[in-house]
Amino acid sequence: MSLIPLSDNLAAWKLLPGVSQWVLDAVKKGYRIQFATRPPQFQEVLPTIVGTHQTLFLQEELLSLLRKGAIEHVPLPDQDLGFYSRYFIVPNKRGRGGCIHSVTTTFTKCMDAALVPLRLQGIRVLNYLDDWLILAHSKAMTASHQDVVLALLRILGLRINLEKCVLSPSQRNTFLGVICDSTMMWACLSPAWVASILSAVNSVQLDQSLSVAEAQRVLGLMAAAANVIPLGLLHMRPFQFWLRGAGFHPRRHPLDAIRVMRRRLYTLLTWTRPQFLAAGPTLRACHHHRTLLTDASLSVWVRRSPSCRPCLPSWDLSVVLDMLLEAPFESMESASEKFLTLKMALLLVLASLRRVGDLQALSVTPICLEFAPGMSKAILQRRAGCVPKVRRMAGRPVILQAFCLLPHESAEQERLHLLCPVRALRTYVHRFGSWHKSPSLFICFAAGTRVIRSPSITWHTGW
């Protein structure tokens, strides 16, 4: 059966909630290779030399893609045109020809957009590329959610590989190489994954050479399994120390060789035991958590627990807000600089939920602070040159919405208007504008005082 382009279902993709124009362009025009600079004109095909065993895999992969219609033969008159790219040189997880990384990124972004309407309906789906797992509280709910998911996939024009799908709800599933059993509340690596790790580890033989690519494969399998194996990351460290001592570096040529000495027998000894690889965590509800920082030396393991601060403040927010409605915080026109600053800072933190660094970067210059007509909202920008800690927040302004504006319909609205962050910000800027010499929004109301570090707001800004 021939494949149908996703562009035929572009109308359905446009109806997805909050879908980006980038995703719509990818669905409409297909994947396009992005070049940083204009590539050179085609001259000749560079030969790819592989072994006999890999040649069979490569031929099988190409024939599979040809049957699916994902690729096509270049017509003879066009063989000397266009651009040339080693498109199938990167190996995939099966060791065969694969695609470049940006193709995977494109697919992931499109699938994330397709999952939005499901998650808005409360349907829980774990996804990694084209592997999806539906989670529900009962067998009937799982079957119901499955029908919704399959219907959405058909509407979007996504093909389902029924040979690889498990469409019967079960409490024991294998997902991304991990067996999850909700009846026993237990998880472990699948036998296939255990066999892959044993094969990779046992291939590292004494007095033989280990290439950089092979070492990276062993480390990758260990790191992926460490999420399931108890203390898996700790048991990786001896092998990492040995590689570092042997001169291993991920940027070295993949075919560079490392001589395997006798010490390797000890660094990988734990990973050769099937009972260690078959161990797994117990699945249970997490009532509390505590972060453990690990430190490793060449001889001993040291585990230390940092001082933990409570996740919730020791004070009641409703009590604090009630206090802001009374003296010495009101009226704001006559309140002291100290209490006016504290009230404005707290209301700004509660309304924006931004980090400390984001709030410190706010400015009162006209280009960075704007009040909408009628004082319905305020828009604040960072000062030029300030880079946020979370890069995806770059360019996003802080928008404060006013509430309970005039005229008030009840005494309760008049009371709540006293907690409006736009009113507090406007009063603060108006009163301090005559002697506000710094472009920063927050200024010190007393010597040695940093408003944004006030204990009353540290909990809100230190996520």
Side-chain angles (χ1 to χ4, degrees), residues 207-221:
D207 294 331
Q208 293 185 3
S209 297
L210 176 69
S211 68
V212 172
E214 292 172 338
Q216 289 178 322
R217 180 172 182 268
V218 174
L219 286 175
L221 290 172

Side-chain angles (χ1 to χ4, degrees), residues 277-345:
L277 299 177
T282 301
L283 304 178
R284 59 181 182 272
C286 181
H287 300 289
H288 65 278
H289 72 277
R290 189 168 186 174
T291 304
L292 293 178
L293 303 180
T294 59
D295 188 15
S297 66
L298 295 178
S299 56
V300 298
W301 296 107
V302 179
R303 185 173 65 180
R304 57 191 177 90
S305 175
S307 58
C308 298
R309 63 177 182 178
C311 297
L312 296 176
S314 57
W315 42 269
D316 191 335
L317 179 59
S318 61
V319 175
V320 174
L321 294 179
D322 287 339
M323 293 180 62
L324 296 181
L325 300 172
E326 304 171 354
F329 300 99
E330 287 292 342
S331 70
M332 296 186 65
E333 288 73 12
S334 59
S336 66
E337 289 82 359
K338 173 182 178 180
F339 292 110
L340 173 60
T341 303
L342 291 179
K343 179 172 181 177
M344 187 279 298

Side-chain angles (χ1 to χ4, degrees), residues 5-27:
L6 284 182
S7 56
D8 291 355
N9 302 85
L10 181 60
W13 284 85
K14 290 182 178 179
L15 297 177
L16 295 176
V19 61
S20 66
Q21 186 61 42
W22 187 93
V23 172
L24 295 179
D25 290 340
V27 172

Side-chain angles (χ1 to χ4, degrees), residues 256-282:
D256 286 352
I258 303 173
R259 193 69 177 176
V260 179
M261 308 303 291
R262 183 169 298 276
R263 186 178 177 183
R264 167 261 158 198
L265 298 176
Y266 301 100
T267 60
L268 291 178
L269 182 62
T270 303
W271 293 88
T272 60
R273 298 170 180 169
Q275 61 272 21
F276 166 75
L277 299 177
T282 301

Side-chain angles (χ1 to χ4, degrees), residues 339-451:
F339 292 110
L340 173 60
T341 303
L342 291 179
K343 179 172 181 177
M344 187 279 298
L346 179 59
L347 293 179
L348 178 60
V349 170
L350 294 176
S352 65
L353 293 180
R354 293 298 181 92
R355 292 176 176 270
V356 170
D358 294 335
L359 298 177
Q360 288 177 333
L362 296 179
S363 173
V364 292
T365 57
I367 195 174
C368 296
L369 175 59
E370 179 183 0
F371 291 95
M375 303 298 295
S376 60
K377 65 179 178 180
I379 304 175
L380 300 96
Q381 301 278 1
R382 300 180 186 86
R383 298 191 304 274
C386 294
V387 179
K389 183 176 182 181
V390 181
R391 295 300 178 91
R392 62 182 175 84
M393 302 300 293
R396 296 187 181 182
V398 175
I399 301 178
L400 303 178
Q401 297 289 345
F403 53 86
C404 297
L405 296 175
L406 296 173
H408 301 138
E409 298 180 356
S410 64
E412 181 65 16
Q413 287 189 2
E414 183 178 359
R415 176 175 174 272
L416 293 178
H417 180 64
L418 300 179
L419 297 177
C420 177
V422 178
R423 168 182 174 266
L425 177 62
R426 178 61 179 174
T427 305
Y428 175 83
V429 173
H430 178 72
R431 286 191 54 184
F432 289 176
S434 58
W435 52 277
H436 202 301
K437 304 301 181 182
S438 171
S440 176
L441 173 63
F442 294 99
I443 59 177
C444 301
F445 53 79
T449 303
R450 298 180 62 191
V451 178

